[in-house]
């Protein structure tokens, strides 16, 4: 997914109201019903609306927005394939990750 801030045309320090206003403006502009007389334009508008909706789904939800701002993904940590166990080893103790470092030292 592209950067939701870029899609909605807002800055990273935009307020919730700014984000909502940008979403509504773009939704009105690209709503497929505005292009009923042109099937090709309707298809492009559908794609644009999907992109706009996905961006607003992230930025319109405080938790997803926070995750995106911190981790680059609305899903939060672990969405990039790394998780606690990958970094620190298995849940039963340090095996791999930092565990090897501690074993080497001690």
């Amino acid at each position: 997914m592209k950067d939701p801030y870029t899609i909605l045309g807002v800055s990273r320090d935009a307020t919730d109201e700014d984000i909502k206003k940008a979403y509504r403006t773009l939704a009105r502009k690209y709503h497929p019903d505005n292009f009923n007389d042109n099937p090709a334009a309707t298809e492009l508008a559908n794609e644009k609306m999907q992109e706009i909706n996905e961006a607003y789904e992230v930025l319109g939800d405080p938790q997803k927005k926070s995750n995106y701002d911190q981790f680059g993904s609305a899903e939060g940590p672990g969405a990039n394939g790394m998780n606690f166990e990958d970094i620190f080893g298995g849940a039963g103790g340090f095996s791999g990750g930092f565990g090897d470092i501690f074993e080497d030292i001690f």
Side-chain angles (χ1 to χ4, degrees):
M1 179 178 158
K2 296 179 188 174
D3 179 36
Y5 290 100
T6 303
I7 293 169
L8 295 182
V10 296
S11 66
R12 291 196 173 270
D13 60 349
T15 66
D16 292 340
E17 190 59 38
D18 293 337
I19 292 168
K20 187 182 294 187
K21 183 178 179 181
Y23 168 75
R24 288 179 178 167
T25 299
L26 291 171
R28 270 188 241 112
K29 179 178 180 180
Y30 290 104
H31 195 280
D33 288 347
N34 295 334
F35 304 96
N36 281 337
D37 57 338
N38 185 341
T42 300
E43 182 61 33
L44 291 174
N46 280 327
E47 292 171 15
K48 185 70 175 175
M49 279 302 301
Q50 181 176 356
E51 187 176 67
I52 291 166
N53 286 329
E54 289 173 359
Y56 186 68
E57 184 178 317
V58 172
L59 299 183
D61 179 298
Q63 183 61 48
K64 289 180 181 181
K65 182 178 184 287
S66 176
N67 285 343
Y68 183 82
D69 290 343
Q70 287 183 309
F71 307 109
S73 167
E75 290 79 31
N80 61 2
M82 293 290 285
N83 60 31
F84 183 83
E85 286 79 20
D86 292 334
I87 297 168
F88 294 104
F94 289 107
S95 59
F98 286 125
D100 291 339
I101 295 170
F102 294 129
E103 287 173 11
D104 289 343
I105 293 172
F106 299 107

